[in-house]
Amino acid sequence: MANDRLVGKNVLITGASGGIGAEMAYLCAESGARLILMARSLDKLEQLKQNIEARYGVEVLIYQLDVSDTNAIETVFSEVLQALGHVDVLVNNAGFGIFRPAHESTIDEIKGMFEVNVVGLITATSMVLPKMRERRFGHIINIASQAGKMATPKSSVYSATKHAVLGYSNSLRMELADLGVYVTTVNPGPIATNFFNIADEKGTYLQNIKRWVLKPEYVAGQVVERMLTKTREINLPRWMNAASILYTLFPRVVERVGKRAFNQK
Ligand SMILES: NC(=O)c1ccc[n+]([C@@H]2O[C@H](COP(=O)([O-])OP(=O)(O)OC[C@H]3O[C@@H](n4cnc5c(N)ncnc54)[C@H](OP(=O)(O)O)[C@@H]3O)[C@@H](O)[C@H]2O)c1
């Protein structure tokens, strides 16, 4: 799968050291993009850079970044903009969740999820916006979740962060509509990544829903294919999107009928 629109373009991915971030990096490289990859684990980024450069011969820049540190985002993104001039595609992918009942969630966990999933994402976006607006070109892709469309028990905080991502993205899309800068939200259901090592320590949720779990390379492919196209949302899998539409229309009925399905965590 190659996306010809990406040839020679600067694609920045946060949370690129593993999971769908790393898979997207491979696919963008295959399409001829220059990559700017960020995460906290520099060793994993080094390995990824080596693999990608050896396989695809494209340039890969790596930066250690914790997106919960807004000062660090400003420093690192300024460095990137100084080095490359602009970013064509920003994928705000860094994120994590902890599945716990609301009354058991600690303030540190709550702040942590909002700092990474929401404030970090908004700060990173703010850093690339002026240049994208000036050039009237660019694509901001925010990795949200089906949890941002349909909240389920034991994910109140994670779900709240992803609802926030959708709200921010919907407003931003309208602000940029006449400038030729695209905003896409990606709302996947469960994906087989390390996400669940933190989210679901006991592994019961993953076990209960294993028949629905998406492959990271499939999700990454769906996102990369739509880079630099005017795409509002990518919702996966389709049946889950249908369920979230029904939920918007008939919330009480869906909560009653779907009670068992909602309580898998
Ligand atoms: N897996 C799912 O079921 C699922 C479903 C819907 C949406 N999502 C969303 O998809 C995105 C990617 O998740 P994934 O499934 O690929 O999970 P993953 O395998 O755990 O990858 C998460 C990535 O984010 C990075 N990251 C985490 N905290 C960070 C921080 N503070 N600063 C910078 N980077 C950070 C991690 O790298 P370092 O540890 O090296 O920093 C890693 O590269 C997340 O936004 C997640 O909410 C996941």
Side-chain angles (χ1 to χ4, degrees):
M1 192 236 49
N3 176 343
D4 295 340
R5 289 174 293 269
L6 294 178
V7 177
K9 296 291 191 293
N10 297 331
V11 178
L12 192 163
I13 305 173
T14 67
S17 62
I20 59 172
E23 296 294 338
M24 287 188 283
Y26 279 111
L27 293 173
C28 289
E30 190 186 346
S31 301
R34 179 190 286 116
L35 290 171
I36 308 108
L37 306 179
M38 299 179 180
R40 292 167 304 179
S41 314
L42 200 52
D43 51 337
K44 290 186 189 163
L45 288 179
E46 296 274 11
Q47 190 59 56
L48 189 61
K49 173 182 161 78
Q50 272 182 31
N51 293 348
I52 290 177
E53 286 181 341
R55 209 184 291 177
Y56 299 109
V58 296
E59 190 181 355
V60 181
L61 307 178
I62 56 171
Y63 294 87
Q64 188 169 37
L65 177 69
D66 182 338
V67 298
S68 67
D69 181 346
T70 50
N71 291 332
I73 296 178
E74 284 175 7
T75 306
V76 170
F77 273 62
S78 298
E79 222 177 287
V80 170
L81 290 170
Q82 199 151 21
L84 301 178
H86 66 269
V87 169
D88 295 295
V89 181
L90 167 65
V91 188
N92 280 307
N93 169 68
F96 76 103
I98 299 171
F99 296 155
R100 239 192 263 302
H103 69 280
E104 288 178 12
S105 298
T106 68
I107 298 300
D108 281 350
E109 288 170 354
I110 296 164
K111 279 189 180 166
M113 277 184 264
F114 269 92
E115 277 166 6
V116 174
N117 299 359
V118 183
V119 182
L121 174 147
I122 293 175
T123 308
T125 304
S126 304
M127 290 302 294
V128 302
L129 270 181
K131 203 74 193 174
M132 283 189 179
R133 292 181 65 99
E134 184 191 313
R135 296 178 69 231
R136 301 175 80 90
F137 187 85
H139 195 169
I140 291 159
I141 300 178
N142 292 331
I143 309 296
S145 170
Q146 281 295 321
K149 302 223 131 195
M150 206 166 33
T152 52
K154 296 195 188 164
S155 64
S156 54
V157 180
Y158 178 65
S159 195
T161 67
K162 296 300 188 179
H163 275 74
V165 170
L166 293 185
Y168 173 73
S169 308
N170 289 343
S171 172
L172 186 65
R173 186 182 302 109
M174 287 190 261
E175 287 181 15
L176 299 174
D178 295 332
L179 292 175
V181 178
Y182 305 140
V183 178
T184 301
T185 48
V186 181
N187 304 308
I191 315 164
T193 66
N194 288 338
F195 175 87
F196 287 102
N197 297 350
I198 296 173
D200 177 37
E201 282 164 329
K202 292 189 196 130
T204 39
Y205 178 56
L206 200 53
Q207 185 60 28
N208 289 345
I209 49 126
K210 63 177 181 234
R211 65 187 178 284
W212 299 333
V213 173
L214 299 162
K215 290 198 166 79
E217 55 274 22
Y218 167 72
V219 176
Q222 294 292 305
V223 179
V224 173
E225 204 175 292
R226 289 171 180 80
M227 283 183 180
L228 295 177
T229 68
K230 190 175 181 182
T231 302
R232 183 187 166 81
E233 294 184 358
I234 300 172
N235 293 294
L236 304 164
R238 279 218 192 105
W239 70 265
M240 219 175 248
N241 184 43
S244 82
I245 292 169
L246 274 180
Y247 182 61
T248 309
L249 294 172
F250 311 107
R252 258 172 293 206
V253 176
V254 174
E255 277 173 15
R256 199 174 59 237
V257 175
K259 191 170 177 187
R260 229 177 117 216
F262 285 149
N263 278 286
Q264 299 288 330
K265 295 195 187 77

